[in-house]
Each structure stands twice: as C-alpha cells, then as structure tokens.
Amino acid sequence: MPELPEVETVRRHLASVLPGRTIREMTFKRTDLRYPMPIAALQELVGRPLGEVHRRAKYLLLQVNGAQVLVHLGMSGRLFAQPGPEPEWQKHEHWRWQLMDPHGEVLWLRYVDARRFGALDLVPPGQGHALLDALGPEPLSGEFSAGYLRSRCQGRQVPIKQLLMSADIVVGIGNIYASETCYRAEISPLRPADQVTPAEAVRLVQQAQAVLGDAIAAGGSTLRDFVGGDAAPGYFQQQLDVYHREGQKCNRCAALRSLADDSHIVHARVGQRATFWCPTCQK
Ligand SMILES: [Zn+2]
C-alpha cells in the first residue's frame, strides 16, 4: 500500500512534469473507483492548463483553473506521466489524460489500480472536501511539534503507536512508520499516550520526521529511474529495524551490548494492527 513517502515521491514526479501543460482529452474506462468519479465535471477542465501539484496526507491535489483534482492511490494505485505516442492501455488502467505543452509535445497521465480502492474527485474553487476537512497536521510541518503531540496525548490511555496512526492527530504515519518511530524513539508502542513524558514527545516527533524523511529520500533515488521513462514508480521499502522482523535480533541491543545479546523483536496486534518492537530497549 502506498504510504506518505511514496505519495510524496509521486507528487514530486508529477510536479516536475505537469505544471503548464494543457489537458487535451480525458478518457475513462469506468465510472467509479472506490467512489463514483465526477466525469462530467472533470471533462469541463479539458482545454485548461494544469497548475502546481500539492499533497495533503495521502491525497494528491492537482490544481486546475482554481479547482483541485483529488487523487487517492488506495491500496494499489499508480499515477504516472509518460511522454511519447499513445501507449497501449494497461490491464487495470482506469483513466488517462492526454496533456500537451506549448511546443506540442504530448504527455499521458495514466492511472492504474488493480484493486480499485483509489479515488478521483473534484474540489470546486474555494471549497473544502469531506475527505480533507477533518485531517490533523502534516507530520513534516512545524505544526506537528512535541508540545502539540503532548497536548493530544493528555487524558488518552490509547497505546502511543495507535495515537500516532490517528489521522485526526497527525496524518501520514502508517503502520510501518509508527512501529519504526516507536523503535527509534526507544518507547514501547504499547505505552499509554498520557504516560509519554515531554522529553519522549520530543523524541517521537523527531524520529517520526526522520523515518519519513529517510523514506522520502529513498524514494527520491527510485524517482530518478522513472522520470521521463515509460515505467511507473514502484513502491519502495527502506531498511527497517523492527517491522516484520519478529524473532530476529534487535540491531540496537546487539550494537550496544555484545553480539551474544539475545534481545529479539516481538510481535503483537495493537488496535487491530501488526506491531513490532524490542521489549529490552523500548520501555
Ligand atoms: Zn533492543
């Protein structure tokens, strides 16, 4: 499933090629993805130039004529731009737009999604959107501070990992990154939120930003491989310390103590989600 770093990688790819191109034609192979697509309203954007490409949580927002086209990649969606003559339709490709730059060069914006949990919608000029309105701050913004996190932890007994995954608290920290954040911050994912100290809140914010930043940097290296080519970006996996490492030795304990240290990563379900941690160095 694409997480925030993958979506940000897609955004950077699209931001490098879409702005200034005019929409020549939109073709849809179906009328719905997860929700019905507003095809008639979208078709009214034909002839308009695309503006900047923004991201909010895991939603891509393409600016067109004061409106925003909202794209969500769902579980398996891929959105990519490809230059050249019209490509063959891929299996599971549900829509594509033909774009043209001022020199007449054609670009194809294509959406492929085998599981169809993705979304395509329109946010009219000056309006909000039900999917966007209740979202908490961006994890890489200054709004997501230790003070803010502490204020949201007050009086909450929910495990800290589950709180970090709540989109009304902070967006874009998915299951993998929540486990990795708790590991790097040396805090048990099971710790009740209201028992997180001020110093630990600082570590959680810093490490959440570091783990997402590392993943975006890893995505940047895969980005170079597909920009301008005909391949869609794959989803990348960075080096992980705990996620899906149950039964394996803890890297930090092994480095801190000795190679004979037998601290192992354990696994449990927390709030219905697979959770991984080292019970020796995460308290
Ligand atoms: Zn450990």
Side-chain angles (χ1 to χ4, degrees), residues 51-88:
E52 293 177 358
V53 181
H54 297 157
R55 177 187 59 71
R56 181 74 175 100
K58 295 204 289 183
Y59 298 99
L60 291 160
L61 296 164
L62 282 50
Q63 317 293 312
V64 196
N65 198 36
Q68 301 188 91
V69 175
L70 177 151
V71 180
H72 193 267
L73 303 176
M75 303 288 285
S76 57
R78 292 182 299 136
L79 179 67
F80 58 100
Q82 177 182 348
E86 178 157 19
E88 292 284 316

PDB file of all heavy atoms in Angstrom, residues 51-88:
ATOM      1  N   GLY A  51      -1.878  23.430 -13.012  1.00  0.00           N
ATOM      2  CA  GLY A  51      -1.005  24.236 -12.161  1.00  0.00           C
ATOM      3  C   GLY A  51      -0.141  23.337 -11.293  1.00  0.00           C
ATOM      4  O   GLY A  51       0.245  22.232 -11.703  1.00  0.00           O
ATOM      5  N   GLU A  52       0.118  23.797 -10.083  1.00  0.00           N
ATOM      6  CA  GLU A  52       1.003  23.059  -9.186  1.00  0.00           C
ATOM      7  C   GLU A  52       0.361  21.750  -8.712  1.00  0.00           C
ATOM      8  O   GLU A  52      -0.859  21.590  -8.769  1.00  0.00           O
ATOM      9  CB  GLU A  52       1.336  23.924  -7.965  1.00  0.00           C
ATOM     10  CG  GLU A  52       2.178  25.139  -8.323  1.00  0.00           C
ATOM     11  CD  GLU A  52       2.433  26.020  -7.116  1.00  0.00           C
ATOM     12  OE1 GLU A  52       1.926  25.704  -6.011  1.00  0.00           O
ATOM     13  OE2 GLU A  52       3.136  27.029  -7.295  1.00  0.00           O
ATOM     14  N   VAL A  53       1.202  20.851  -8.239  1.00  0.00           N
ATOM     15  CA  VAL A  53       0.735  19.580  -7.676  1.00  0.00           C
ATOM     16  C   VAL A  53       1.035  19.600  -6.184  1.00  0.00           C
ATOM     17  O   VAL A  53       2.198  19.693  -5.789  1.00  0.00           O
ATOM     18  CB  VAL A  53       1.434  18.379  -8.346  1.00  0.00           C
ATOM     19  CG1 VAL A  53       0.906  17.069  -7.770  1.00  0.00           C
ATOM     20  CG2 VAL A  53       1.242  18.428  -9.858  1.00  0.00           C
ATOM     21  N   HIS A  54      -0.008  19.546  -5.365  1.00  0.00           N
ATOM     22  CA  HIS A  54       0.161  19.547  -3.912  1.00  0.00           C
ATOM     23  C   HIS A  54      -0.179  18.169  -3.354  1.00  0.00           C
ATOM     24  O   HIS A  54      -0.720  17.311  -4.060  1.00  0.00           O
ATOM     25  CB  HIS A  54      -0.752  20.593  -3.272  1.00  0.00           C
ATOM     26  CG  HIS A  54      -0.429  22.002  -3.699  1.00  0.00           C
ATOM     27  ND1 HIS A  54      -1.338  23.030  -3.649  1.00  0.00           N
ATOM     28  CD2 HIS A  54       0.716  22.549  -4.204  1.00  0.00           C
ATOM     29  CE1 HIS A  54      -0.777  24.139  -4.079  1.00  0.00           C
ATOM     30  NE2 HIS A  54       0.459  23.883  -4.425  1.00  0.00           N
ATOM     31  N   ARG A  55       0.126  18.004  -2.060  1.00  0.00           N
ATOM     32  CA  ARG A  55      -0.243  16.778  -1.362  1.00  0.00           C
ATOM     33  C   ARG A  55      -0.793  17.165  -0.001  1.00  0.00           C
ATOM     34  O   ARG A  55      -0.264  18.048   0.662  1.00  0.00           O
ATOM     35  CB  ARG A  55       0.986  15.879  -1.164  1.00  0.00           C
ATOM     36  CG  ARG A  55       0.709  14.604  -0.367  1.00  0.00           C
ATOM     37  CD  ARG A  55       1.986  13.824  -0.054  1.00  0.00           C
ATOM     38  NE  ARG A  55       2.952  14.599   0.700  1.00  0.00           N
ATOM     39  CZ  ARG A  55       2.802  14.939   1.985  1.00  0.00           C
ATOM     40  NH1 ARG A  55       1.733  14.531   2.665  1.00  0.00           N
ATOM     41  NH2 ARG A  55       3.699  15.663   2.603  1.00  0.00           N
ATOM     42  N   ARG A  56      -1.859  16.517   0.428  1.00  0.00           N
ATOM     43  CA  ARG A  56      -2.382  16.653   1.793  1.00  0.00           C
ATOM     44  C   ARG A  56      -2.611  15.242   2.284  1.00  0.00           C
ATOM     45  O   ARG A  56      -3.408  14.501   1.668  1.00  0.00           O
ATOM     46  CB  ARG A  56      -3.679  17.457   1.783  1.00  0.00           C
ATOM     47  CG  ARG A  56      -4.274  17.670   3.153  1.00  0.00           C
ATOM     48  CD  ARG A  56      -3.482  18.704   3.963  1.00  0.00           C
ATOM     49  NE  ARG A  56      -4.154  18.967   5.241  1.00  0.00           N
ATOM     50  CZ  ARG A  56      -3.776  18.405   6.402  1.00  0.00           C
ATOM     51  NH1 ARG A  56      -2.736  17.593   6.451  1.00  0.00           N
ATOM     52  NH2 ARG A  56      -4.432  18.671   7.507  1.00  0.00           N
ATOM     53  N   ALA A  57      -1.898  14.857   3.373  1.00  0.00           N
ATOM     54  CA  ALA A  57      -1.905  13.466   3.827  1.00  0.00           C
ATOM     55  C   ALA A  57      -1.533  12.586   2.628  1.00  0.00           C
ATOM     56  O   ALA A  57      -0.540  12.844   1.953  1.00  0.00           O
ATOM     57  CB  ALA A  57      -3.245  13.102   4.448  1.00  0.00           C
ATOM     58  N   LYS A  58      -2.360  11.596   2.296  1.00  0.00           N
ATOM     59  CA  LYS A  58      -2.029  10.755   1.141  1.00  0.00           C
ATOM     60  C   LYS A  58      -2.866  11.122  -0.086  1.00  0.00           C
ATOM     61  O   LYS A  58      -2.996  10.332  -1.011  1.00  0.00           O
ATOM     62  CB  LYS A  58      -2.207   9.280   1.508  1.00  0.00           C
ATOM     63  CG  LYS A  58      -1.209   8.854   2.597  1.00  0.00           C
ATOM     64  CD  LYS A  58      -0.929   7.370   2.611  1.00  0.00           C
ATOM     65  CE  LYS A  58      -2.097   6.563   3.099  1.00  0.00           C
ATOM     66  NZ  LYS A  58      -1.759   5.109   3.162  1.00  0.00           N
ATOM     67  N   TYR A  59      -3.420  12.321  -0.098  1.00  0.00           N
ATOM     68  CA  TYR A  59      -4.182  12.804  -1.250  1.00  0.00           C
ATOM     69  C   TYR A  59      -3.302  13.693  -2.123  1.00  0.00           C
ATOM     70  O   TYR A  59      -2.675  14.632  -1.623  1.00  0.00           O
ATOM     71  CB  TYR A  59      -5.415  13.595  -0.807  1.00  0.00           C
ATOM     72  CG  TYR A  59      -6.384  12.766  -0.009  1.00  0.00           C
ATOM     73  CD1 TYR A  59      -6.394  12.828   1.376  1.00  0.00           C
ATOM     74  CD2 TYR A  59      -7.266  11.900  -0.644  1.00  0.00           C
ATOM     75  CE1 TYR A  59      -7.261  12.050   2.118  1.00  0.00           C
ATOM     76  CE2 TYR A  59      -8.142  11.121   0.092  1.00  0.00           C
ATOM     77  CZ  TYR A  59      -8.133  11.196   1.475  1.00  0.00           C
ATOM     78  OH  TYR A  59      -8.990  10.416   2.202  1.00  0.00           O
ATOM     79  N   LEU A  60      -3.290  13.415  -3.420  1.00  0.00           N
ATOM     80  CA  LEU A  60      -2.634  14.293  -4.386  1.00  0.00           C
ATOM     81  C   LEU A  60      -3.662  15.300  -4.858  1.00  0.00           C
ATOM     82  O   LEU A  60      -4.822  14.946  -5.112  1.00  0.00           O
ATOM     83  CB  LEU A  60      -2.113  13.470  -5.577  1.00  0.00           C
ATOM     84  CG  LEU A  60      -0.936  12.548  -5.240  1.00  0.00           C
ATOM     85  CD1 LEU A  60      -0.808  11.455  -6.293  1.00  0.00           C
ATOM     86  CD2 LEU A  60       0.354  13.352  -5.135  1.00  0.00           C
ATOM     87  N   LEU A  61      -3.250  16.561  -4.978  1.00  0.00           N
ATOM     88  CA  LEU A  61      -4.169  17.635  -5.356  1.00  0.00           C
ATOM     89  C   LEU A  61      -3.587  18.373  -6.554  1.00  0.00           C
ATOM     90  O   LEU A  61      -2.601  19.111  -6.423  1.00  0.00           O
ATOM     91  CB  LEU A  61      -4.375  18.585  -4.172  1.00  0.00           C
ATOM     92  CG  LEU A  61      -5.045  17.934  -2.951  1.00  0.00           C
ATOM     93  CD1 LEU A  61      -4.868  18.784  -1.706  1.00  0.00           C
ATOM     94  CD2 LEU A  61      -6.527  17.675  -3.227  1.00  0.00           C
ATOM     95  N   LEU A  62      -4.189  18.149  -7.716  1.00  0.00           N
ATOM     96  CA  LEU A  62      -3.736  18.781  -8.954  1.00  0.00           C
ATOM     97  C   LEU A  62      -4.532  20.066  -9.158  1.00  0.00           C
ATOM     98  O   LEU A  62      -5.763  20.030  -9.248  1.00  0.00           O
ATOM     99  CB  LEU A  62      -3.977  17.840 -10.150  1.00  0.00           C
ATOM    100  CG  LEU A  62      -3.014  16.674 -10.396  1.00  0.00           C
ATOM    101  CD1 LEU A  62      -2.758  15.838  -9.166  1.00  0.00           C
ATOM    102  CD2 LEU A  62      -3.532  15.789 -11.530  1.00  0.00           C
ATOM    103  N   GLN A  63      -3.841  21.201  -9.224  1.00  0.00           N
ATOM    104  CA  GLN A  63      -4.519  22.488  -9.378  1.00  0.00           C
ATOM    105  C   GLN A  63      -4.866  22.702 -10.855  1.00  0.00           C
ATOM    106  O   GLN A  63      -3.991  22.603 -11.717  1.00  0.00           O
ATOM    107  CB  GLN A  63      -3.617  23.635  -8.903  1.00  0.00           C
ATOM    108  CG  GLN A  63      -2.862  23.358  -7.605  1.00  0.00           C
ATOM    109  CD  GLN A  63      -3.777  23.235  -6.403  1.00  0.00           C
ATOM    110  OE1 GLN A  63      -4.646  24.075  -6.209  1.00  0.00           O
ATOM    111  NE2 GLN A  63      -3.602  22.187  -5.605  1.00  0.00           N
ATOM    112  N   VAL A  64      -6.142  22.976 -11.118  1.00  0.00           N
ATOM    113  CA  VAL A  64      -6.584  23.271 -12.478  1.00  0.00           C
ATOM    114  C   VAL A  64      -7.636  24.373 -12.421  1.00  0.00           C
ATOM    115  O   VAL A  64      -8.719  24.166 -11.868  1.00  0.00           O
ATOM    116  CB  VAL A  64      -7.244  22.050 -13.186  1.00  0.00           C
ATOM    117  CG1 VAL A  64      -7.325  22.298 -14.694  1.00  0.00           C
ATOM    118  CG2 VAL A  64      -6.521  20.767 -12.908  1.00  0.00           C
ATOM    119  N   ASN A  65      -7.321  25.545 -12.961  1.00  0.00           N
ATOM    120  CA  ASN A  65      -8.337  26.574 -13.122  1.00  0.00           C
ATOM    121  C   ASN A  65      -9.041  26.919 -11.811  1.00  0.00           C
ATOM    122  O   ASN A  65     -10.259  27.108 -11.782  1.00  0.00           O
ATOM    123  CB  ASN A  65      -9.374  26.090 -14.162  1.00  0.00           C
ATOM    124  CG  ASN A  65     -10.203  27.238 -14.716  1.00  0.00           C
ATOM    125  OD1 ASN A  65      -9.692  28.335 -14.891  1.00  0.00           O
ATOM    126  ND2 ASN A  65     -11.480  26.985 -14.971  1.00  0.00           N
ATOM    127  N   GLY A  66      -8.293  26.982 -10.718  1.00  0.00           N
ATOM    128  CA  GLY A  66      -8.885  27.326  -9.430  1.00  0.00           C
ATOM    129  C   GLY A  66      -9.489  26.146  -8.690  1.00  0.00           C
ATOM    130  O   GLY A  66      -9.725  26.221  -7.490  1.00  0.00           O
ATOM    131  N   ALA A  67      -9.780  25.066  -9.400  1.00  0.00           N
ATOM    132  CA  ALA A  67     -10.288  23.849  -8.756  1.00  0.00           C
ATOM    133  C   ALA A  67      -9.098  22.944  -8.414  1.00  0.00           C
ATOM    134  O   ALA A  67      -7.962  23.208  -8.803  1.00  0.00           O
ATOM    135  CB  ALA A  67     -11.251  23.120  -9.684  1.00  0.00           C
ATOM    136  N   GLN A  68      -9.390  21.888  -7.665  1.00  0.00           N
ATOM    137  CA  GLN A  68      -8.359  20.897  -7.381  1.00  0.00           C
ATOM    138  C   GLN A  68      -8.900  19.513  -7.751  1.00  0.00           C
ATOM    139  O   GLN A  68     -10.009  19.167  -7.365  1.00  0.00           O
ATOM    140  CB  GLN A  68      -8.002  20.885  -5.894  1.00  0.00           C
ATOM    141  CG  GLN A  68      -7.496  22.212  -5.363  1.00  0.00           C
ATOM    142  CD  GLN A  68      -6.984  22.073  -3.947  1.00  0.00           C
ATOM    143  OE1 GLN A  68      -5.814  21.822  -3.721  1.00  0.00           O
ATOM    144  NE2 GLN A  68      -7.879  22.197  -2.985  1.00  0.00           N
ATOM    145  N   VAL A  69      -8.100  18.763  -8.487  1.00  0.00           N
ATOM    146  CA  VAL A  69      -8.434  17.372  -8.759  1.00  0.00           C
ATOM    147  C   VAL A  69      -7.764  16.534  -7.686  1.00  0.00           C
ATOM    148  O   VAL A  69      -6.550  16.612  -7.488  1.00  0.00           O
ATOM    149  CB  VAL A  69      -7.960  16.946 -10.161  1.00  0.00           C
ATOM    150  CG1 VAL A  69      -8.215  15.461 -10.382  1.00  0.00           C
ATOM    151  CG2 VAL A  69      -8.645  17.787 -11.233  1.00  0.00           C
ATOM    152  N   LEU A  70      -8.585  15.772  -6.962  1.00  0.00           N
ATOM    153  CA  LEU A  70      -8.097  14.973  -5.838  1.00  0.00           C
ATOM    154  C   LEU A  70      -7.900  13.531  -6.310  1.00  0.00           C
ATOM    155  O   LEU A  70      -8.804  12.933  -6.885  1.00  0.00           O
ATOM    156  CB  LEU A  70      -9.121  15.042  -4.697  1.00  0.00           C
ATOM    157  CG  LEU A  70      -8.892  14.242  -3.422  1.00  0.00           C
ATOM    158  CD1 LEU A  70      -9.561  14.954  -2.247  1.00  0.00           C
ATOM    159  CD2 LEU A  70      -9.456  12.824  -3.548  1.00  0.00           C
ATOM    160  N   VAL A  71      -6.708  13.002  -6.087  1.00  0.00           N
ATOM    161  CA  VAL A  71      -6.416  11.612  -6.441  1.00  0.00           C
ATOM    162  C   VAL A  71      -5.907  10.896  -5.201  1.00  0.00           C
ATOM    163  O   VAL A  71      -5.007  11.395  -4.517  1.00  0.00           O
ATOM    164  CB  VAL A  71      -5.339  11.506  -7.551  1.00  0.00           C
ATOM    165  CG1 VAL A  71      -5.067  10.036  -7.905  1.00  0.00           C
ATOM    166  CG2 VAL A  71      -5.750  12.286  -8.792  1.00  0.00           C
ATOM    167  N   HIS A  72      -6.508   9.750  -4.901  1.00  0.00           N
ATOM    168  CA  HIS A  72      -6.004   8.887  -3.833  1.00  0.00           C
ATOM    169  C   HIS A  72      -5.620   7.556  -4.467  1.00  0.00           C
ATOM    170  O   HIS A  72      -6.347   7.049  -5.320  1.00  0.00           O
ATOM    171  CB  HIS A  72      -7.068   8.683  -2.753  1.00  0.00           C
ATOM    172  CG  HIS A  72      -6.523   8.063  -1.500  1.00  0.00           C
ATOM    173  ND1 HIS A  72      -6.525   6.709  -1.276  1.00  0.00           N
ATOM    174  CD2 HIS A  72      -5.946   8.615  -0.408  1.00  0.00           C
ATOM    175  CE1 HIS A  72      -5.973   6.466  -0.089  1.00  0.00           C
ATOM    176  NE2 HIS A  72      -5.617   7.602   0.453  1.00  0.00           N
ATOM    177  N   LEU A  73      -4.469   7.008  -4.059  1.00  0.00           N
ATOM    178  CA  LEU A  73      -3.959   5.799  -4.702  1.00  0.00           C
ATOM    179  C   LEU A  73      -4.515   4.517  -4.076  1.00  0.00           C
ATOM    180  O   LEU A  73      -4.237   3.427  -4.580  1.00  0.00           O
ATOM    181  CB  LEU A  73      -2.424   5.783  -4.647  1.00  0.00           C
ATOM    182  CG  LEU A  73      -1.746   7.010  -5.283  1.00  0.00           C
ATOM    183  CD1 LEU A  73      -0.231   6.937  -5.087  1.00  0.00           C
ATOM    184  CD2 LEU A  73      -2.081   7.129  -6.768  1.00  0.00           C
ATOM    185  N   GLY A  74      -5.285   4.648  -3.000  1.00  0.00           N
ATOM    186  CA  GLY A  74      -5.921   3.468  -2.395  1.00  0.00           C
ATOM    187  C   GLY A  74      -4.882   2.452  -1.950  1.00  0.00           C
ATOM    188  O   GLY A  74      -3.875   2.802  -1.339  1.00  0.00           O
ATOM    189  N   MET A  75      -5.139   1.176  -2.253  1.00  0.00           N
ATOM    190  CA  MET A  75      -4.240   0.098  -1.834  1.00  0.00           C
ATOM    191  C   MET A  75      -3.147  -0.169  -2.858  1.00  0.00           C
ATOM    192  O   MET A  75      -2.088  -0.669  -2.515  1.00  0.00           O
ATOM    193  CB  MET A  75      -5.042  -1.206  -1.667  1.00  0.00           C
ATOM    194  CG  MET A  75      -6.205  -1.116  -0.698  1.00  0.00           C
ATOM    195  SD  MET A  75      -5.663  -1.030   1.002  1.00  0.00           S
ATOM    196  CE  MET A  75      -5.185  -2.750   1.281  1.00  0.00           C
ATOM    197  N   SER A  76      -3.435   0.109  -4.119  1.00  0.00           N
ATOM    198  CA  SER A  76      -2.516  -0.376  -5.167  1.00  0.00           C
ATOM    199  C   SER A  76      -2.417   0.571  -6.352  1.00  0.00           C
ATOM    200  O   SER A  76      -1.899   0.191  -7.400  1.00  0.00           O
ATOM    201  CB  SER A  76      -2.999  -1.746  -5.666  1.00  0.00           C
ATOM    202  OG  SER A  76      -4.355  -1.633  -6.135  1.00  0.00           O
ATOM    203  N   GLY A  77      -2.898   1.825  -6.207  1.00  0.00           N
ATOM    204  CA  GLY A  77      -2.938   2.728  -7.348  1.00  0.00           C
ATOM    205  C   GLY A  77      -1.572   3.249  -7.754  1.00  0.00           C
ATOM    206  O   GLY A  77      -0.682   3.420  -6.927  1.00  0.00           O
ATOM    207  N   ARG A  78      -1.397   3.478  -9.054  1.00  0.00           N
ATOM    208  CA  ARG A  78      -0.181   4.102  -9.582  1.00  0.00           C
ATOM    209  C   ARG A  78      -0.616   5.212 -10.528  1.00  0.00           C
ATOM    210  O   ARG A  78      -1.423   4.998 -11.425  1.00  0.00           O
ATOM    211  CB  ARG A  78       0.689   3.081 -10.318  1.00  0.00           C
ATOM    212  CG  ARG A  78       1.291   2.034  -9.374  1.00  0.00           C
ATOM    213  CD  ARG A  78       2.187   1.062 -10.110  1.00  0.00           C
ATOM    214  NE  ARG A  78       1.441   0.327 -11.123  1.00  0.00           N
ATOM    215  CZ  ARG A  78       1.873   0.086 -12.356  1.00  0.00           C
ATOM    216  NH1 ARG A  78       3.044   0.523 -12.747  1.00  0.00           N
ATOM    217  NH2 ARG A  78       1.126  -0.579 -13.205  1.00  0.00           N
ATOM    218  N   LEU A  79      -0.098   6.405 -10.308  1.00  0.00           N
ATOM    219  CA  LEU A  79      -0.397   7.558 -11.152  1.00  0.00           C
ATOM    220  C   LEU A  79       0.929   8.052 -11.706  1.00  0.00           C
ATOM    221  O   LEU A  79       1.843   8.352 -10.933  1.00  0.00           O
ATOM    222  CB  LEU A  79      -1.066   8.654 -10.318  1.00  0.00           C
ATOM    223  CG  LEU A  79      -1.420   9.950 -11.058  1.00  0.00           C
ATOM    224  CD1 LEU A  79      -2.512   9.718 -12.091  1.00  0.00           C
ATOM    225  CD2 LEU A  79      -1.864  11.025 -10.058  1.00  0.00           C
ATOM    226  N   PHE A  80       1.050   8.106 -13.023  1.00  0.00           N
ATOM    227  CA  PHE A  80       2.345   8.472 -13.599  1.00  0.00           C
ATOM    228  C   PHE A  80       2.154   9.128 -14.951  1.00  0.00           C
ATOM    229  O   PHE A  80       1.131   8.947 -15.612  1.00  0.00           O
ATOM    230  CB  PHE A  80       3.263   7.247 -13.710  1.00  0.00           C
ATOM    231  CG  PHE A  80       2.700   6.118 -14.533  1.00  0.00           C
ATOM    232  CD1 PHE A  80       3.091   5.925 -15.855  1.00  0.00           C
ATOM    233  CD2 PHE A  80       1.777   5.242 -13.980  1.00  0.00           C
ATOM    234  CE1 PHE A  80       2.579   4.878 -16.611  1.00  0.00           C
ATOM    235  CE2 PHE A  80       1.252   4.196 -14.733  1.00  0.00           C
ATOM    236  CZ  PHE A  80       1.646   4.015 -16.047  1.00  0.00           C
ATOM    237  N   ALA A  81       3.149   9.903 -15.328  1.00  0.00           N
ATOM    238  CA  ALA A  81       3.118  10.620 -16.599  1.00  0.00           C
ATOM    239  C   ALA A  81       4.150  10.010 -17.533  1.00  0.00           C
ATOM    240  O   ALA A  81       5.245   9.653 -17.122  1.00  0.00           O
ATOM    241  CB  ALA A  81       3.429  12.089 -16.365  1.00  0.00           C
ATOM    242  N   GLN A  82       3.752   9.909 -18.792  1.00  0.00           N
ATOM    243  CA  GLN A  82       4.600   9.234 -19.773  1.00  0.00           C
ATOM    244  C   GLN A  82       4.565  10.024 -21.081  1.00  0.00           C
ATOM    245  O   GLN A  82       3.487  10.292 -21.605  1.00  0.00           O
ATOM    246  CB  GLN A  82       4.046   7.820 -19.987  1.00  0.00           C
ATOM    247  CG  GLN A  82       4.771   7.014 -21.022  1.00  0.00           C
ATOM    248  CD  GLN A  82       4.136   5.651 -21.204  1.00  0.00           C
ATOM    249  OE1 GLN A  82       3.294   5.223 -20.406  1.00  0.00           O
ATOM    250  NE2 GLN A  82       4.516   4.976 -22.261  1.00  0.00           N
ATOM    251  N   PRO A  83       5.725  10.399 -21.628  1.00  0.00           N
ATOM    252  CA  PRO A  83       5.752  11.129 -22.894  1.00  0.00           C
ATOM    253  C   PRO A  83       5.642  10.191 -24.091  1.00  0.00           C
ATOM    254  O   PRO A  83       5.714   8.969 -23.943  1.00  0.00           O
ATOM    255  CB  PRO A  83       7.128  11.796 -22.871  1.00  0.00           C
ATOM    256  CG  PRO A  83       7.981  10.877 -22.067  1.00  0.00           C
ATOM    257  CD  PRO A  83       7.071  10.196 -21.071  1.00  0.00           C
ATOM    258  N   GLY A  84       5.467  10.760 -25.254  1.00  0.00           N
ATOM    259  CA  GLY A  84       5.541   9.972 -26.484  1.00  0.00           C
ATOM    260  C   GLY A  84       4.198   9.644 -27.084  1.00  0.00           C
ATOM    261  O   GLY A  84       3.168  10.179 -26.677  1.00  0.00           O
ATOM    262  N   PRO A  85       4.193   8.733 -28.074  1.00  0.00           N
ATOM    263  CA  PRO A  85       2.947   8.351 -28.745  1.00  0.00           C
ATOM    264  C   PRO A  85       2.008   7.623 -27.788  1.00  0.00           C
ATOM    265  O   PRO A  85       2.436   7.142 -26.745  1.00  0.00           O
ATOM    266  CB  PRO A  85       3.414   7.412 -29.859  1.00  0.00           C
ATOM    267  CG  PRO A  85       4.749   6.920 -29.431  1.00  0.00           C
ATOM    268  CD  PRO A  85       5.356   7.999 -28.584  1.00  0.00           C
ATOM    269  N   GLU A  86       0.732   7.553 -28.150  1.00  0.00           N
ATOM    270  CA  GLU A  86      -0.249   6.960 -27.233  1.00  0.00           C
ATOM    271  C   GLU A  86       0.114   5.519 -26.898  1.00  0.00           C
ATOM    272  O   GLU A  86       0.235   4.672 -27.781  1.00  0.00           O
ATOM    273  CB  GLU A  86      -1.657   7.001 -27.841  1.00  0.00           C
ATOM    274  CG  GLU A  86      -2.660   6.344 -26.897  1.00  0.00           C
ATOM    275  CD  GLU A  86      -4.100   6.789 -27.097  1.00  0.00           C
ATOM    276  OE1 GLU A  86      -4.402   7.325 -28.169  1.00  0.00           O
ATOM    277  OE2 GLU A  86      -4.901   6.582 -26.169  1.00  0.00           O
ATOM    278  N   PRO A  87       0.297   5.227 -25.599  1.00  0.00           N
ATOM    279  CA  PRO A  87       0.666   3.866 -25.204  1.00  0.00           C
ATOM    280  C   PRO A  87      -0.542   2.929 -25.224  1.00  0.00           C
ATOM    281  O   PRO A  87      -1.690   3.371 -25.157  1.00  0.00           O
ATOM    282  CB  PRO A  87       1.207   4.043 -23.786  1.00  0.00           C
ATOM    283  CG  PRO A  87       0.546   5.280 -23.266  1.00  0.00           C
ATOM    284  CD  PRO A  87       0.223   6.153 -24.446  1.00  0.00           C
ATOM    285  N   GLU A  88      -0.268   1.637 -25.307  1.00  0.00           N
ATOM    286  CA  GLU A  88      -1.323   0.625 -25.151  1.00  0.00           C
ATOM    287  C   GLU A  88      -1.944   0.779 -23.756  1.00  0.00           C
ATOM    288  O   GLU A  88      -1.251   1.121 -22.799  1.00  0.00           O
ATOM    289  CB  GLU A  88      -0.707  -0.779 -25.228  1.00  0.00           C
ATOM    290  CG  GLU A  88      -0.174  -1.161 -26.590  1.00  0.00           C
ATOM    291  CD  GLU A  88      -1.305  -1.527 -27.547  1.00  0.00           C
ATOM    292  OE1 GLU A  88      -2.217  -2.267 -27.105  1.00  0.00           O
ATOM    293  OE2 GLU A  88      -1.275  -1.056 -28.699  1.00  0.00           O
TER     294      GLU A  88
END
